[in-house]
Amino acid sequence: MNSLLIRSVQIADPAGSWHGRTADVYVEDGVIVRIGTDLHQHAENIIQGGGACLSPGWVDALTFCGEPGEEWKETLASLASAAQAGGFTSIAAYCGTHPAPDSAAAISSVLQKASGLPVRILPLGATTVKEEGVDMAELYDMWKAGAVAFTDGEKPLSNNGLKARIMEYAANQNIPVYMYPFCRDLAPGGSMHEGKVSNSLGLKGIPVVSETIALESDLQLAAWLRCPLRIVKISSAAAVDRIRKAKADGADIRVAVAIDNLLYTDENLTAFDENHKVLPPLRTEKDREALWAGLNDGTLDAVVSNHIPQDTESKRVEFDYSAWGSAGIQTMLPALLRAGNSPDIRVIVTALSYGPRKLLNLPVQTIQEGQPADFTLFSATTEWEFSGQKSLSKAVNIPMLGEKLKGLVLGTVLAGKWQESPVYSAAKQSQGQNS
Amino acid sequence: MNQAATMKHLLGIKGLTEAEIQSIFLTADNFKQVLNSPVKKTPALRDYTVANLFFENSTRTRVSFELAEKRLGADIVNFSSSTSSVKKGETLIDTVNNILSMKVDMVVMRHPAPGACLFLARHVNSQIVNAGDGTHEHPTQALLDAYSIREKLGDVAGKKVVIVGDILHSRVALSNIFCLQTLGAEVMVCGPRTLIPRYIAELGVKVEYDLAKALAWCDVANMLRIQLERQDIRYFPSLREYSMQYGLTMEILNRLDKEITIMHPGPINRGVEITSEVADSHQSIILQQVENGVAIRMAVIYLLAMRER
């Protein structure tokens, strides 16, 4: 029997009855057996929480991995380490675009490699064969093999007929298919949000309408076909408004926003910073505020890392030639805290635990006796410096690298097993040396 | 102390102060005198080596920079490649560091990617002069344009300047907007809607789609070249139709109740954006712009080099 006692933690679980209270949590064989104050259970492993927050385990519903095909950018192992240090217990990972994960064999291979990693890997499958946006991939076969949801990775689906068929087909088993609303035709050559900043940098823009037109077609298709809709990566105030209206009309929609769009704006690109060359593009402060408001009022369900690891050769080149994406899976907590100017814990737990599970049609977990022991232990106030040696991802395109951050993940509990974050271990060690 | 001597690079006009621009002009005044004297050279930079790196085709800008460097007494090396370094497999940083290893003091670079000079300035240890980076900036062109307006009209402040043509693909337009505004001029852009960036008015410029109205408003018209090589998709049906609406002819000029100054950054597509008659008229200062280009580039290179001494 494995047993674990976590002492003196503040329960961060707005959907549960212990929320906001300081308690001890006793776990046996991966299940919460007791929650209470001053528990005296004997346990093999006792963790001193020191008043840190204990949340139901965080799930990243959209992250990318270089393996297979571009292992020098990120392997499953490096991604899993970074994700665990970032507070995640599960990550929905799109593994490799060369080749695309468009078969049951590809999904099984990911799951095989995933065993023993510090996070649970939930494979994402490609929606279309070779993610070419032409023929539907074998969604059912991949789903049976363990794929949890489908996406064409960094590519949006553009053919409305194909979208409609995929939505209907996947609805049979209620398999989540991510729609990424982006009409590329309206942004030829675009490399950032179309606006004053793009005009002053001489860069071609990606207009808001390229998102809202695609979103509108997704909403109408889902309404017509009476299918649930999973939308990822929205970036504009207009999209938030439209989704709020659709939700008010009773549509079955779950929506995720990428962390960068909550934190940064197009003003971050004035010095052509390649780390901020991301899709969807960083828009204006007004858009950023609207996304944040949408997250607060439940219009948006989840925040995803949209972690796209790149190497020096792909990223440290002229802006036009630089690859898309940023890789912030390890800094989701500090990023979210900064984006919301120290938001309340409710928003963090909803955005990182409940929301992503709803997006993926997974059962929402709370911290109650009888529930699985799957937790994230974090401090929203601890400050630390994110130096290069603390970065566990292989990626170079990490916007917060080198910065002083607020908010530290202490560790995670996956299947009842405590895993301390290496960053927290190092911090404790250096504190011990200093004192 | 010379204001412009505080700059390490010239990456763009954005960020330059009016005082810095004026000190470039004052220095250019001196060099213009030198250029018009019997011995049109100074030995000021005889211990200096400048590399001209052109990753995009250029004739007049390259020649202008080369002459400016030679007339300052600098040693020069030229490197040109019509394909980007990336496509050849060598990174820009490696290409430039290779050249810098041969004891080069300054890099003048033209590159098709916006922001390439800023990128380079962040990653290599050299002074950088932007000779045009994609659709971003072309600072020496804007300086010579403003300098030519100052020479012709006495001052730039208070003047009304319209930039006509393909604003969307033009680094000249963007640098001109920043430069003229800093010097106190009013700026308008004019062209077909598809070639005007949609948020350009937020930079404080007026937008006009009718050439006759734009000309009636302005003191100076800067006619941009139609950059077909930068248009990967069609923004207007044909050159013929473009010139029907935006080609500057003597007939249009004669209808104005005033005499405006005509500029063009070159090379001219005669009969497209401007007729030969207008280009060669006394209202045109196109060749003065070219002449002033050498003096302005001498001033920029000289001031940057002095900073390192």
Side-chain angles (χ1 to χ4, degrees), chain B residues 19-48:
Chain B
E20 284 170 333
I21 296 173
Q22 293 293 0
S23 77
I24 294 170
F25 287 177
L26 291 174
T27 312
D29 286 341
N30 292 330
F31 285 127
K32 194 157 179 189
Q33 277 181 18
V34 172
L35 290 170
N36 284 304
S37 67
V39 182
K40 44 188 183 293
K41 275 188 92 148
T42 87
L45 298 189
R46 65 186 168 192
D47 55 345
Y48 219 69

mmCIF file of all heavy atoms in Angstrom, chain B residues 19-48:
data_model
loop_
_atom_site.group_PDB
_atom_site.id
_atom_site.type_symbol
_atom_site.label_atom_id
_atom_site.label_comp_id
_atom_site.label_asym_id
_atom_site.label_seq_id
_atom_site.Cartn_x
_atom_site.Cartn_y
_atom_site.Cartn_z
ATOM 1 N N ALA B 19 16.770 66.843 -32.950
ATOM 2 C CA ALA B 19 18.140 67.360 -32.840
ATOM 3 C C ALA B 19 19.131 66.434 -33.550
ATOM 4 O O ALA B 19 20.068 66.898 -34.201
ATOM 5 C CB ALA B 19 18.506 67.510 -31.367
ATOM 6 N N GLU B 20 18.915 65.137 -33.428
ATOM 7 C CA GLU B 20 19.814 64.193 -34.100
ATOM 8 C C GLU B 20 19.716 64.332 -35.619
ATOM 9 O O GLU B 20 20.721 64.316 -36.324
ATOM 10 C CB GLU B 20 19.481 62.754 -33.666
ATOM 11 C CG GLU B 20 19.989 62.434 -32.264
ATOM 12 C CD GLU B 20 19.472 61.115 -31.705
ATOM 13 O OE1 GLU B 20 18.376 60.668 -32.097
ATOM 14 O OE2 GLU B 20 20.153 60.542 -30.847
ATOM 15 N N ILE B 21 18.490 64.477 -36.090
ATOM 16 C CA ILE B 21 18.316 64.636 -37.541
ATOM 17 C C ILE B 21 18.951 65.949 -38.010
ATOM 18 O O ILE B 21 19.659 65.983 -39.018
ATOM 19 C CB ILE B 21 16.816 64.573 -37.910
ATOM 20 C CG1 ILE B 21 16.251 63.179 -37.584
ATOM 21 C CG2 ILE B 21 16.609 64.902 -39.384
ATOM 22 C CD1 ILE B 21 14.741 63.064 -37.745
ATOM 23 N N GLN B 22 18.731 67.019 -37.236
ATOM 24 C CA GLN B 22 19.293 68.312 -37.642
ATOM 25 C C GLN B 22 20.818 68.260 -37.647
ATOM 26 O O GLN B 22 21.459 68.862 -38.510
ATOM 27 C CB GLN B 22 18.807 69.437 -36.702
ATOM 28 C CG GLN B 22 17.303 69.746 -36.792
ATOM 29 C CD GLN B 22 16.873 70.342 -38.133
ATOM 30 O OE1 GLN B 22 17.680 70.553 -39.040
ATOM 31 N NE2 GLN B 22 15.568 70.589 -38.274
ATOM 32 N N SER B 23 21.398 67.525 -36.713
ATOM 33 C CA SER B 23 22.861 67.493 -36.713
ATOM 34 C C SER B 23 23.391 66.674 -37.884
ATOM 35 O O SER B 23 24.467 66.952 -38.407
ATOM 36 C CB SER B 23 23.392 67.010 -35.372
ATOM 37 O OG SER B 23 23.256 65.633 -35.284
ATOM 38 N N ILE B 24 22.602 65.680 -38.327
ATOM 39 C CA ILE B 24 22.990 64.964 -39.561
ATOM 40 C C ILE B 24 22.949 65.945 -40.736
ATOM 41 O O ILE B 24 23.853 65.983 -41.580
ATOM 42 C CB ILE B 24 22.063 63.748 -39.803
ATOM 43 C CG1 ILE B 24 22.262 62.690 -38.703
ATOM 44 C CG2 ILE B 24 22.325 63.130 -41.181
ATOM 45 C CD1 ILE B 24 21.235 61.560 -38.711
ATOM 46 N N PHE B 25 21.914 66.778 -40.763
ATOM 47 C CA PHE B 25 21.787 67.757 -41.856
ATOM 48 C C PHE B 25 22.959 68.745 -41.845
ATOM 49 O O PHE B 25 23.528 69.066 -42.895
ATOM 50 C CB PHE B 25 20.462 68.523 -41.726
ATOM 51 C CG PHE B 25 19.246 67.706 -42.098
ATOM 52 C CD1 PHE B 25 17.967 68.251 -41.962
ATOM 53 C CD2 PHE B 25 19.357 66.413 -42.587
ATOM 54 C CE1 PHE B 25 16.837 67.521 -42.301
ATOM 55 C CE2 PHE B 25 18.226 65.667 -42.917
ATOM 56 C CZ PHE B 25 16.965 66.218 -42.774
ATOM 57 N N LEU B 26 23.320 69.250 -40.661
ATOM 58 C CA LEU B 26 24.424 70.218 -40.581
ATOM 59 C C LEU B 26 25.728 69.583 -41.051
ATOM 60 O O LEU B 26 26.508 70.197 -41.778
ATOM 61 C CB LEU B 26 24.574 70.742 -39.142
ATOM 62 C CG LEU B 26 23.429 71.646 -38.657
ATOM 63 C CD1 LEU B 26 23.590 71.994 -37.181
ATOM 64 C CD2 LEU B 26 23.363 72.925 -39.506
ATOM 65 N N THR B 27 25.933 68.322 -40.657
ATOM 66 C CA THR B 27 27.135 67.621 -41.100
ATOM 67 C C THR B 27 27.093 67.406 -42.611
ATOM 68 O O THR B 27 28.104 67.575 -43.306
ATOM 69 C CB THR B 27 27.249 66.260 -40.371
ATOM 70 O OG1 THR B 27 27.036 66.484 -38.976
ATOM 71 C CG2 THR B 27 28.601 65.616 -40.581
ATOM 72 N N ALA B 28 25.904 67.077 -43.119
ATOM 73 C CA ALA B 28 25.754 66.882 -44.570
ATOM 74 C C ALA B 28 26.016 68.184 -45.322
ATOM 75 O O ALA B 28 26.574 68.159 -46.429
ATOM 76 C CB ALA B 28 24.359 66.349 -44.884
ATOM 77 N N ASP B 29 25.642 69.324 -44.733
ATOM 78 C CA ASP B 29 25.931 70.634 -45.370
ATOM 79 C C ASP B 29 27.431 70.756 -45.630
ATOM 80 O O ASP B 29 27.854 71.157 -46.713
ATOM 81 C CB ASP B 29 25.495 71.787 -44.460
ATOM 82 C CG ASP B 29 23.973 71.966 -44.435
ATOM 83 O OD1 ASP B 29 23.298 71.457 -45.364
ATOM 84 O OD2 ASP B 29 23.469 72.604 -43.489
ATOM 85 N N ASN B 30 28.210 70.392 -44.613
ATOM 86 C CA ASN B 30 29.672 70.483 -44.768
ATOM 87 C C ASN B 30 30.171 69.540 -45.849
ATOM 88 O O ASN B 30 31.002 69.903 -46.670
ATOM 89 C CB ASN B 30 30.369 70.131 -43.443
ATOM 90 C CG ASN B 30 30.098 71.181 -42.380
ATOM 91 O OD1 ASN B 30 29.901 72.361 -42.703
ATOM 92 N ND2 ASN B 30 30.059 70.763 -41.130
ATOM 93 N N PHE B 31 29.630 68.310 -45.839
ATOM 94 C CA PHE B 31 30.097 67.350 -46.834
ATOM 95 C C PHE B 31 29.648 67.732 -48.242
ATOM 96 O O PHE B 31 30.336 67.452 -49.211
ATOM 97 C CB PHE B 31 29.651 65.932 -46.476
ATOM 98 C CG PHE B 31 30.440 65.336 -45.345
ATOM 99 C CD1 PHE B 31 29.819 64.801 -44.239
ATOM 100 C CD2 PHE B 31 31.829 65.325 -45.394
ATOM 101 C CE1 PHE B 31 30.553 64.263 -43.190
ATOM 102 C CE2 PHE B 31 32.581 64.798 -44.351
ATOM 103 C CZ PHE B 31 31.935 64.264 -43.244
ATOM 104 N N LYS B 32 28.515 68.403 -48.326
ATOM 105 C CA LYS B 32 28.061 68.825 -49.652
ATOM 106 C C LYS B 32 29.032 69.852 -50.233
ATOM 107 O O LYS B 32 29.311 69.844 -51.436
ATOM 108 C CB LYS B 32 26.640 69.388 -49.576
ATOM 109 C CG LYS B 32 26.028 69.522 -50.949
ATOM 110 C CD LYS B 32 24.541 69.535 -51.007
ATOM 111 C CE LYS B 32 24.151 69.703 -52.484
ATOM 112 N NZ LYS B 32 22.746 69.928 -52.687
ATOM 113 N N GLN B 33 29.561 70.693 -49.350
ATOM 114 C CA GLN B 33 30.583 71.651 -49.805
ATOM 115 C C GLN B 33 31.822 70.915 -50.305
ATOM 116 O O GLN B 33 32.383 71.252 -51.350
ATOM 117 C CB GLN B 33 30.981 72.569 -48.654
ATOM 118 C CG GLN B 33 30.022 73.735 -48.474
ATOM 119 C CD GLN B 33 30.459 74.642 -47.324
ATOM 120 O OE1 GLN B 33 31.609 74.603 -46.894
ATOM 121 N NE2 GLN B 33 29.532 75.454 -46.850
ATOM 122 N N VAL B 34 32.203 69.891 -49.539
ATOM 123 C CA VAL B 34 33.379 69.104 -49.952
ATOM 124 C C VAL B 34 33.142 68.477 -51.327
ATOM 125 O O VAL B 34 33.985 68.543 -52.221
ATOM 126 C CB VAL B 34 33.683 68.003 -48.909
ATOM 127 C CG1 VAL B 34 34.765 67.049 -49.413
ATOM 128 C CG2 VAL B 34 34.083 68.617 -47.579
ATOM 129 N N LEU B 35 31.933 67.920 -51.490
ATOM 130 C CA LEU B 35 31.612 67.226 -52.746
ATOM 131 C C LEU B 35 31.626 68.180 -53.939
ATOM 132 O O LEU B 35 31.841 67.760 -55.069
ATOM 133 C CB LEU B 35 30.241 66.540 -52.648
ATOM 134 C CG LEU B 35 30.155 65.327 -51.725
ATOM 135 C CD1 LEU B 35 28.709 64.900 -51.529
ATOM 136 C CD2 LEU B 35 30.973 64.168 -52.283
ATOM 137 N N ASN B 36 31.362 69.443 -53.665
ATOM 138 C CA ASN B 36 31.334 70.412 -54.752
ATOM 139 C C ASN B 36 32.650 71.175 -54.903
ATOM 140 O O ASN B 36 32.737 72.113 -55.669
ATOM 141 C CB ASN B 36 30.163 71.387 -54.554
ATOM 142 C CG ASN B 36 28.844 70.712 -54.914
ATOM 143 O OD1 ASN B 36 28.675 70.214 -56.026
ATOM 144 N ND2 ASN B 36 27.931 70.637 -53.962
ATOM 145 N N SER B 37 33.661 70.766 -54.133
ATOM 146 C CA SER B 37 34.965 71.420 -54.270
ATOM 147 C C SER B 37 35.812 70.601 -55.246
ATOM 148 O O SER B 37 35.470 69.463 -55.560
ATOM 149 C CB SER B 37 35.635 71.504 -52.896
ATOM 150 O OG SER B 37 35.950 70.199 -52.453
ATOM 151 N N PRO B 38 36.914 71.165 -55.731
ATOM 152 C CA PRO B 38 37.724 70.431 -56.722
ATOM 153 C C PRO B 38 38.247 69.094 -56.188
ATOM 154 O O PRO B 38 38.259 68.109 -56.907
ATOM 155 C CB PRO B 38 38.885 71.397 -57.003
ATOM 156 C CG PRO B 38 38.392 72.737 -56.576
ATOM 157 C CD PRO B 38 37.400 72.532 -55.486
ATOM 158 N N VAL B 39 38.650 69.060 -54.919
ATOM 159 C CA VAL B 39 39.079 67.778 -54.341
ATOM 160 C C VAL B 39 37.904 67.250 -53.519
ATOM 161 O O VAL B 39 37.696 67.661 -52.385
ATOM 162 C CB VAL B 39 40.319 67.961 -53.435
ATOM 163 C CG1 VAL B 39 40.768 66.604 -52.894
ATOM 164 C CG2 VAL B 39 41.442 68.643 -54.202
ATOM 165 N N LYS B 40 37.099 66.372 -54.119
ATOM 166 C CA LYS B 40 35.830 66.027 -53.473
ATOM 167 C C LYS B 40 35.961 64.855 -52.501
ATOM 168 O O LYS B 40 35.166 63.947 -52.497
ATOM 169 C CB LYS B 40 34.740 65.764 -54.512
ATOM 170 C CG LYS B 40 35.167 64.920 -55.702
ATOM 171 C CD LYS B 40 34.046 64.922 -56.739
ATOM 172 C CE LYS B 40 34.370 64.041 -57.917
ATOM 173 N NZ LYS B 40 35.497 64.533 -58.733
ATOM 174 N N LYS B 41 36.979 64.890 -51.679
ATOM 175 C CA LYS B 41 37.252 63.806 -50.720
ATOM 176 C C LYS B 41 37.764 64.373 -49.410
ATOM 177 O O LYS B 41 38.360 65.443 -49.389
ATOM 178 C CB LYS B 41 38.366 62.884 -51.266
ATOM 179 C CG LYS B 41 37.876 61.812 -52.175
ATOM 180 C CD LYS B 41 39.010 60.853 -52.493
ATOM 181 C CE LYS B 41 39.032 59.697 -51.503
ATOM 182 N NZ LYS B 41 39.511 58.455 -52.126
ATOM 183 N N THR B 42 37.527 63.644 -48.325
ATOM 184 C CA THR B 42 38.223 63.959 -47.074
ATOM 185 C C THR B 42 38.869 62.656 -46.589
ATOM 186 O O THR B 42 38.375 61.573 -46.908
ATOM 187 C CB THR B 42 37.274 64.449 -45.952
ATOM 188 O OG1 THR B 42 36.775 63.314 -45.267
ATOM 189 C CG2 THR B 42 36.142 65.295 -46.483
ATOM 190 N N PRO B 43 39.945 62.780 -45.852
ATOM 191 C CA PRO B 43 40.580 61.559 -45.352
ATOM 192 C C PRO B 43 40.057 61.147 -43.982
ATOM 193 O O PRO B 43 40.673 60.352 -43.295
ATOM 194 C CB PRO B 43 42.058 61.966 -45.263
ATOM 195 C CG PRO B 43 42.001 63.437 -44.967
ATOM 196 C CD PRO B 43 40.719 63.989 -45.506
ATOM 197 N N ALA B 44 38.904 61.675 -43.588
ATOM 198 C CA ALA B 44 38.427 61.516 -42.215
ATOM 199 C C ALA B 44 38.394 60.054 -41.747
ATOM 200 O O ALA B 44 38.694 59.766 -40.600
ATOM 201 C CB ALA B 44 37.046 62.139 -42.077
ATOM 202 N N LEU B 45 38.027 59.138 -42.633
ATOM 203 C CA LEU B 45 37.874 57.737 -42.205
ATOM 204 C C LEU B 45 38.886 56.821 -42.901
ATOM 205 O O LEU B 45 38.577 55.685 -43.244
ATOM 206 C CB LEU B 45 36.447 57.255 -42.495
ATOM 207 C CG LEU B 45 35.315 57.982 -41.767
ATOM 208 C CD1 LEU B 45 33.997 57.248 -41.992
ATOM 209 C CD2 LEU B 45 35.572 58.107 -40.274
ATOM 210 N N ARG B 46 40.092 57.339 -43.105
ATOM 211 C CA ARG B 46 41.069 56.542 -43.877
ATOM 212 C C ARG B 46 41.498 55.281 -43.129
ATOM 213 O O ARG B 46 42.026 54.362 -43.718
ATOM 214 C CB ARG B 46 42.275 57.384 -44.262
ATOM 215 C CG ARG B 46 43.072 57.842 -43.066
ATOM 216 C CD ARG B 46 44.167 58.789 -43.475
ATOM 217 N NE ARG B 46 44.685 59.408 -42.257
ATOM 218 C CZ ARG B 46 45.474 60.444 -42.253
ATOM 219 N NH1 ARG B 46 45.840 61.020 -43.375
ATOM 220 N NH2 ARG B 46 45.923 60.955 -41.107
ATOM 221 N N ASP B 47 41.292 55.248 -41.797
ATOM 222 C CA ASP B 47 41.640 54.035 -41.043
ATOM 223 C C ASP B 47 40.414 53.158 -40.792
ATOM 224 O O ASP B 47 40.406 52.302 -39.924
ATOM 225 C CB ASP B 47 42.266 54.426 -39.700
ATOM 226 C CG ASP B 47 41.360 55.354 -38.907
ATOM 227 O OD1 ASP B 47 40.402 55.906 -39.509
ATOM 228 O OD2 ASP B 47 41.597 55.535 -37.701
ATOM 229 N N TYR B 48 39.355 53.392 -41.543
ATOM 230 C CA TYR B 48 38.074 52.752 -41.259
ATOM 231 C C TYR B 48 37.708 51.811 -42.403
ATOM 232 O O TYR B 48 37.981 52.103 -43.553
ATOM 233 C CB TYR B 48 37.005 53.850 -41.162
ATOM 234 C CG TYR B 48 35.992 53.615 -40.069
ATOM 235 C CD1 TYR B 48 36.346 53.706 -38.733
ATOM 236 C CD2 TYR B 48 34.666 53.320 -40.385
ATOM 237 C CE1 TYR B 48 35.405 53.501 -37.738
ATOM 238 C CE2 TYR B 48 33.727 53.116 -39.400
ATOM 239 C CZ TYR B 48 34.106 53.201 -38.074
ATOM 240 O OH TYR B 48 33.182 53.003 -37.095
#
